[in-house]
């Protein structure tokens, strides 16, 4: 599973790797690293904290296994739908 789904690589490092030795385009420039690291930092900052995630909007979890108690703070106008049933 891709945990960095909001990260889009801009430098094709694989293509550079396939170039013949001595080809100047094979060199990875500092600006390419800067661009990639900046994009990774932005993508990481928008991910939820594993220990205490917070979500907004619609959250879809294809497979969820809960051990222990599930606590949901549901507002009076909110609903919870499980297997197509609204509770």
């Amino acid at each position: 599973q891709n945990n960095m789904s909001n990260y889009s690589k801009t430098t094709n490092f694989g293509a550079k790797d396939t170039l013949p030795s001595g080809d100047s385009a094979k060199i990875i420039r500092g600006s390419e690293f800067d661009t990639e690291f900046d994009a990774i930092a932005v993508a990481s900052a928008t991910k939820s904290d594993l220990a205490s995630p917070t979500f907004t909007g619609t959250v879809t979890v294809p497979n969820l296994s809960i051990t222990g108690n599930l606590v949901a703070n549901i507002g009076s106008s909110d609903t919870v739908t499980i297997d197509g049933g609204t509770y």
Side-chain angles (χ1 to χ4, degrees):
Q1 179 170 338
N2 182 0
N3 292 327
M4 295 291 287
S5 59
N6 57 345
Y7 164 64
S8 297
K9 184 172 57 169
T10 59
T11 303
N12 188 338
F13 295 109
K16 284 180 170 287
D17 193 41
T18 62
L19 294 170
S21 293
D23 188 324
S24 63
K26 189 173 182 110
I27 297 169
I28 298 170
R29 310 219 183 295
S31 61
E32 291 169 322
F33 275 118
D34 287 346
T35 299
E36 297 306 323
F37 282 119
D38 288 348
I40 290 169
V42 169
S44 310
T46 60
K47 293 295 180 186
S48 293
D49 179 16
L50 183 61
S52 183
T54 300
F55 303 101
T56 58
T58 301
V59 177
T60 301
V61 180
N63 294 299
L64 177 63
S65 176
I66 299 172
T67 302
N69 297 325
L70 170 63
V71 178
N73 296 316
I74 306 299
S76 60
S77 63
D78 297 327
T79 59
V80 175
T81 302
I82 299 174
D83 287 336
T86 301
Y87 301 91

